[in-house]
Amino acid sequence: MARKPKKEPAGAPAWMVTFSDMVTLLLTFFVLMLSMARLDKMKFMDAAGSLRGAFGVLGSSDKAEVTKPKIVDVAPIFDDLVTRVYKRIQSHMQRLRIDRDIELVKDRGAVVLRVNSAILFDSGKTTIKPEAEPILRKVAELVRPLPMSLRIEGHTDNTRSRRSGLSNWDISVQRAVNVLKFMAANKLMPLDRMSAVGYGSLHPVIDNDTPEHRAMNRRVEFVLENLGNYREELPYLIDATEQLPF
């Protein structure tokens, strides 16, 4: 009597299930690797270490040592720039013989030329005095060759303004803007390198407790700042030799 052929079970062969699982895992693995292609070296190695246990195909289980990227310390760069600009302006001020009219200081991480308001304006006024124009021209002569932008700041003391409709803040703003307009109109500085702001009595250099101290707080400051966006870029510079090619 002839033997009946063995009946095959319905559906895909059993080996196809294992093969499909392996292909799915490999696909997931390569998608994961592709998604990490733009990550930094530290994150890549951390992810690779996690995958070792899951797949067992990435070599030895020994933890790879990764050197952290070197962050550039930008503080000395800024300090050196400010110091060099300060010394250069100080030397030129002595040459131009305006060191008695203008106070040169380093403040808020910048170089500041500080001029008493009495030199530039009459009391309570916002129009530049004619005799102050040579001083402003010399300020522009100091700043123009430098790779710096110029912020003109107006400041007052805390004495209430006696001009109707004008507060100390209004006076400080108008004075700063009028100085900017004078420099722009006489082509002493490119307009795109200048800005003007008024602070009123909000930023005194000394307490307003005596007439002499209040006079010191009535001033116009020329704040020199570096051109460009290096303040945003430098803190993120890292040593390129420590990076992966991708």
Side-chain angles (χ1 to χ4, degrees), residues 60-158:
S60 170
S61 61
D62 294 338
K63 186 176 181 180
E65 295 184 2
V66 180
T67 303
K68 293 184 178 181
K70 298 176 182 178
I71 305 300
V72 176
D73 186 4
V74 299
I77 299 175
F78 296 148
D79 291 343
D80 181 62
L81 174 65
V82 170
T83 300
R84 285 188 287 115
V85 170
Y86 179 88
K87 290 181 178 179
R88 177 173 178 177
I89 293 179
Q90 187 179 48
S91 174
H92 287 188
M93 285 176 61
Q94 293 171 354
R95 177 177 59 82
L96 296 172
R97 298 181 180 178
I98 57 174
D99 49 319
R100 293 184 178 181
D101 298 322
I102 302 175
E103 182 184 4
L104 180 65
V105 297
K106 288 188 285 187
D107 186 27
R108 290 165 287 171
V111 177
V112 180
L113 296 165
R114 186 173 292 160
V115 184
N116 192 284
S117 291
I119 296 176
L120 304 177
F121 305 95
D122 290 323
S123 178
K125 305 296 184 179
T126 60
T127 302
I128 299 172
K129 295 193 295 186
E131 56 267 31
E133 294 182 3
I135 296 177
L136 294 178
R137 291 180 184 275
K138 289 180 179 179
V139 169
E141 185 179 343
L142 290 172
V143 179
R144 189 170 51 246
L146 301 172
M148 312 289 284
S149 61
L150 176 64
R151 187 174 71 249
I152 304 168
E153 298 182 354
H155 299 271
T156 69
D157 61 19
N158 64 348

Side-chain angles (χ1 to χ4, degrees), residues 121 124-127 153-157 159-179 196-202 220:
F121 305 95
K125 305 296 184 179
T126 60
T127 302
E153 298 182 354
H155 299 271
T156 69
D157 61 19
T159 304
R160 186 174 180 177
S161 172
R162 289 176 290 182
R163 293 188 60 180
S164 177
L166 283 181
S167 65
N168 283 335
W169 181 76
D170 294 321
I171 292 174
S172 68
V173 170
Q174 289 187 20
R175 286 179 171 177
V177 171
N178 284 342
V179 171
V197 62
Y199 290 107
S201 59
L202 295 178
V220 174

